[in-house]
Amino acid sequence: MLRAVIFDFDGLILDTETAGYRTFAEMFAAYDAQLPLDLWARAIGSSDHHDEIYDHLEAAAGHKLDRETLERERREKKISLIAREKALPGVRSVLEQAGELGWKIGLASSSDRAWVEGHLEKLGLRHYFSCLCNREDVERTKPDPALYLQAAKCLGVDPSEAVALEDSPNGALAAKRAGMRCIIVPNRVTRSLSFGEVDLRLSSLEELNLREWAQTCPVREEQR
């Protein structure tokens, strides 16, 4: 029944989430404020909520801020921190397993294409992916299902024939709304967050045997 796997990027393939949280938290600390976890949770896996973070920071500071400059400086710090990171454990193994199964491989990310493609090239992983779907390709990012629906269309599969690999509640919700199975692998930042309906939860992609899981996952009623 399954013919494709669709990866998230940030926090699943590369740990960009820790650096993202750290740089925002440091920005808040500079104004004697704290970044609320629930606010950060809404932003993880999505590009639609960063304005809310700056709204909250301005409210804490009590005045308007130069958001463009703050974001540019924060992003530079984030990039510097991420430069030290390698692909997360198990990523290459799962990509190779999918290839051995003859599955199509795609990616659905709320980040921009240059960010994702640049890191995939640096990590030596770009050639595994037939399709990259990024925020430029849709009107709304996760938790809206558009990215996953677009990725399935690009791969030429029905959403029910794909499994999404995610690390965030926004991403998992997007995948389930798209009608896909979803395996979550929370990272250091997201492991304490609440996830809704998922098909499997792992501590690391190193634990995933795609062939065995595909053979044991239940067939949905609409596929019988």
Side-chain angles (χ1 to χ4, degrees):
M1 289 294 178
L2 291 171
R3 300 197 295 128
V5 58
I6 302 175
F7 284 70
D8 175 47
F9 178 72
D10 291 284
L12 182 88
I13 291 177
L14 187 67
D15 182 11
T16 62
E17 302 293 4
T18 299
Y21 178 78
R22 175 178 168 181
T23 52
F24 266 120
E26 288 175 352
M27 186 188 301
F28 271 70
Y31 291 91
D32 295 320
Q34 287 188 331
L35 173 59
L37 184 58
D38 62 335
L39 178 58
W40 177 247
R42 290 200 294 274
I44 297 176
S46 174
S47 63
D48 295 340
H49 297 282
H50 276 197
D51 282 344
E52 292 181 33
I53 295 178
Y54 281 103
D55 289 343
H56 192 93
L57 180 58
E58 284 186 343
H63 58 82
K64 289 287 186 180
L65 300 171
D66 183 350
R67 297 188 183 196
E68 185 176 340
T69 298
L70 285 173
E71 178 60 19
R72 183 180 66 252
E73 293 174 348
R74 186 197 69 82
R75 187 177 175 88
E76 289 173 356
K77 292 179 182 178
K78 177 181 174 181
I79 290 171
S80 177
L81 291 170
I82 293 171
R84 310 168 192 172
E85 298 289 337
K86 298 179 180 179
L88 286 164
V91 170
R92 193 178 297 273
S93 171
V94 174
L95 286 166
E96 292 177 351
Q97 289 178 50
E100 291 168 1
L101 289 169
W103 287 12
K104 297 181 179 181
I105 303 173
L107 182 143
S109 171
S110 294
S111 293
D112 63 72
R113 182 175 300 275
W115 173 263
V116 172
E117 195 147 25
H119 281 297
L120 288 177
E121 292 285 0
K122 182 179 177 181
L123 294 169
L125 301 176
R126 175 63 181 89
H127 65 284
Y128 285 104
F129 296 90
S130 301
C131 292
L132 300 182
C133 294
N134 305 94
R135 71 183 185 197
E136 297 96 329
D137 301 314
V138 296
E139 292 185 8
R140 297 296 303 276
T141 58
K142 304 170 188 177
D144 190 280
L147 276 166
Y148 277 111
L149 293 172
Q150 181 68 21
K153 181 179 180 181
C154 179
L155 292 173
V157 300
D158 187 87
S160 65
E161 298 175 309
V163 56
L165 304 181
E166 273 287 351
D167 70 296
S168 73
N170 278 330
L173 182 56
K176 298 306 287 186
R177 284 175 171 173
M180 297 182 182
R181 290 180 173 83
C182 182
I183 297 173
I184 62 164
V185 189
N187 57 55
R188 286 178 285 181
V189 175
T190 62
R191 66 180 53 147
S192 64
L193 301 179
S194 176
F195 286 79
E197 178 193 358
V198 295
D199 296 276
L200 181 65
R201 179 173 180 142
L202 302 172
S203 297
S204 166
L205 279 178
E206 289 181 302
E207 302 171 5
L208 181 58
N209 184 310
L210 270 182
R211 186 184 299 276
E212 290 183 1
W213 178 78
Q215 291 173 343
T216 58
C217 66
V219 177
R220 295 175 176 174
E221 290 296 327
E222 62 268 25
Q223 294 177 329
R224 292 180 180 175

